[in-house]
Amino acid sequence: MRTHPHTSTTVRNLGILAHVDAGKTTVTERILYATGATHKRGEVHNGTTVTDYDPQERDRGITIFAAAVSCTWDGHHVNLIDTPGHVDFSDEVERSLRVLDGAVAVFDAVAGVEPQSESVWRQADRHGVPRLVFVNKMDRVGADLDRAVASVQERLHVAALVVQLPIGQEAGFRGTVDLVHMRALVWGDEPDSFIVGPVPEALSEEARVRRRLLEERVAELHPAALEEYCATSALSAATLTAALRDLTRGGEGVVVLCGSAYRNRGIEPLLDAVVSYLPSPADMPPVRGTRGAAVEERAADPAAPFAALAFKVNATATGRLTCLRIYSGTMRKGDIVLDAGTGRTERIGRILRVQADRHAETDRAVAGDIVAVVGLKGTRAGSTLCAPEAPLVLEPPKAAAPVVSVAVEAGGSAETGRLSAALARLVEEDPSLVVRTDTETGQTVLSGMGELHLEVAVEKIRRDHGLRIAVGRPKVAYRETVVRGVTGLVYRHVKQDGGAGQFAHVVLDVEPLAAEAEQAGEGVFEFRSAVVGGRVPPEYARAVEAGCRDALAEGPLGGHPVTGLRVTLTDGATHSKDSSEMAFRAAGRFALREALRAAAMEVLEPVAEVVVTVPDDAVGGVLGDLAARRGRVSGSAARAGTTAVTATVPLAELFGYASRLRGRTQGRGTFTARPTGYALVPEAAYRQALAG
């Protein structure tokens, strides 16, 4: 049993973010090796990494599940989460960002900022997570730090503060010049060889120029640095470090470092930057939660009342493992805590420091820690655990709406019950998966964020539970929208069956929203009341809105949810005895259903931005295939013998595209896709999808 050796000021809660194949997992492995947490360098291609421990991750060579690991560097305790890079698993990234204080964004030195890199960067923006940038793969042919930095500034619109100059290019990359302390760091062929020395003579002039540019950029952004720069025409290393720390934590700038994780070059300076520039839990603002109707703040103080957020649950065969971020107070083994959402109490069993799929037990955890707990029976991802005498509800991570569905069926009637239990455990681990029973067909439908997401989920059930599962063709989540509305639709809801009756009279206008709102797809609906003279009281108008929202669940064309419309209540009437909120809610529901049947409606389908990277000689075939899939090409860019084609493609047309692309390009083509909203679907394509 270990005691707790650190405080919230010496903790760094860190995420590794990036596009697929930028090298996140390799960076994580090298950090573990450099800090002594592991004694052998794991490799993605050999299936020997610590964080990609799931059999599917090792088979596919990608990160699927966010994995937490712990290590120490320079007296600091680093909790590190390696996040997935594939868009289908962006919900794992979202849950991780909710509990992190900082992140390292890893970019490829050849490709720069790629589409999914941009997506996870925007996710981090929404959570206000300070970041560093690590430009990886500096040893690759075509690696160019300046070009990668330019893409950071152009695509992410952030002030890039480059603190290193590479020593050597491509295969000759062997080290960096530290522009803050004006020294050279050179790595040898052995993994542990690392020498600090003076700046090489051949690079001394360029290093001086770049240091000057760094000072000028920092002085433009930081008042204290500007004051020193105006007084002395230079910045000391101490002032520069302090200014970089402030700019990073405030989000005004991002420190850029470079290296080659695979060759183990550049990891130690990256760890130094994590400690120097990224915030500790004590540096973060107090966490805000609700206590009844009041908003309450709690600082990262071990002596404060306990509050923690559960952000991940692993439902293993031997029990439930719940990952917690502790925001305030202290948690000890055996403590009784309150699940603020359900009102039930839980007992803390064992407390574990997580090393991916390996764990080390500890006796307690304090504010700022990320740990796993054994023994919680009902706590779900997003639940708040707190001291029973000081309840608090923290905002949970928001789960994205699923966009792809498949029907799943047990291979035999005897396995139906086991399949239901397996699906329940799967949804418990991954809230972005949704299981429902189709009321018309009786089928069990599994919905998720993409084809790969569902494929991984089904394979996990097969492997973990030994079940035979039949899987139907994926179906996308269609929506319906109004393209031409109706005006002055009158609906009277009158019901008299003994006793108090029901009466509600409403007049509605229904119109489409702007095209860009229609494209957004999920939940785009506006309601307003233009009734004058008190003919419909405000509480009844709110009931009409609730009824209209009820009617949005099923549209008249195919029973799909309705989006992209505005409803205006223009008139109505009440009865002194028979009118009620229930009557007006029913009137709103039936009136909007009638209005939608009278309006001109169209079906929307989810679309994705696809970036296909292929050799130059395969571009023609790829363009033709995208056109056949109803794709609209929006641009292309040449990169060292390859071309990256950007197109918008209906999600339904991307099923099976990975294998088709591999066949067309002899395995040399790759693609990424990220959902971008909804677009009108041609009637012929919609009918074909329903028939298929």
Side-chain angles (χ1 to χ4, degrees), residues 510-527:
V510 178
E511 59 186 319
L513 285 171
E516 60 267 25
E518 293 174 9
Q519 306 299 315
E522 276 299 328
V524 182
F525 168 70
E526 289 184 10
F527 179 89

Side-chain angles (χ1 to χ4, degrees), residues 378-450:
T379 301
R380 298 295 185 95
S383 298
T384 301
L385 297 179
C386 56
E389 69 278 6
L392 187 74
V393 178
L394 303 176
E395 182 182 359
K398 292 181 174 62
V403 295
V404 179
S405 302
V406 293
V408 292
E409 183 179 338
S413 57
E415 296 183 330
T416 302
R418 290 177 59 205
L419 176 60
S420 297
L423 288 170
R425 178 177 289 183
L426 198 66
V427 171
E428 189 178 357
E429 291 189 358
D430 185 352
S432 62
L433 289 169
V434 175
V435 176
R436 64 180 176 85
T437 301
D438 191 301
T439 54
E440 294 183 6
T441 65
Q443 288 181 311
T444 299
V445 178
L446 178 64
S447 304
M449 302 303 297

